[in-house]
Amino acid sequence: MEMLYNSDNYAVVEFRVPASEDENPALVRGGYEIVDKFNRKEIYLEGALAESFKQGVEALIEQSPTVEDIDEYIERFSSLMQQPVVLH
């Protein structure tokens, strides 16, 4: 687990699950958890959606974005966020 981004509005954490000894080492699973702090909702992206998110972030990084630019990109995923954030 690695914190990739943390602003006043959003937090993005990357999860990587390495392949076990029985699996192909090229098969690394994982994804991204995005938390909307204002609306207290979250989503976990994996598979093709996670790859699309990653590519979008990489393209954005090449443009030297501001925090507002990054938050605007992440906001595109807010309509998918259904899981309420619960603190234990």
Side-chain angles (χ1 to χ4, degrees):
M1 180 170 73
E2 180 180 357
M3 176 73 75
L4 298 179
Y5 181 72
N6 190 16
S7 72
D8 291 340
N9 300 311
Y10 298 100
V12 178
V13 177
E14 180 181 26
F15 291 88
R16 291 186 187 171
V17 180
S20 68
E21 292 179 19
D22 302 349
E23 296 175 316
N24 181 343
L27 298 176
V28 176
R29 299 183 323 266
Y32 302 94
E33 181 180 42
I34 304 172
V35 175
D36 181 336
K37 296 176 181 179
F38 181 72
N39 291 312
R40 296 182 181 207
K41 298 220 174 200
E42 60 142 347
I43 188 170
Y44 182 76
L45 306 176
E46 61 184 349
L49 192 53
E51 186 60 32
S52 174
F53 176 78
K54 178 182 173 184
Q55 289 173 0
V57 169
E58 288 173 348
L60 188 61
I61 295 298
E62 291 177 4
Q63 302 171 13
S64 301
T66 64
V67 169
E68 290 80 16
D69 294 333
I70 297 171
D71 279 1
E72 185 177 308
Y73 176 75
I74 294 172
E75 186 177 1
R76 296 178 191 176
F77 295 87
S78 65
S79 65
L80 301 173
M81 296 180 191
Q82 302 297 317
Q83 183 67 30
V85 174
V86 179
L87 300 175
H88 298 278

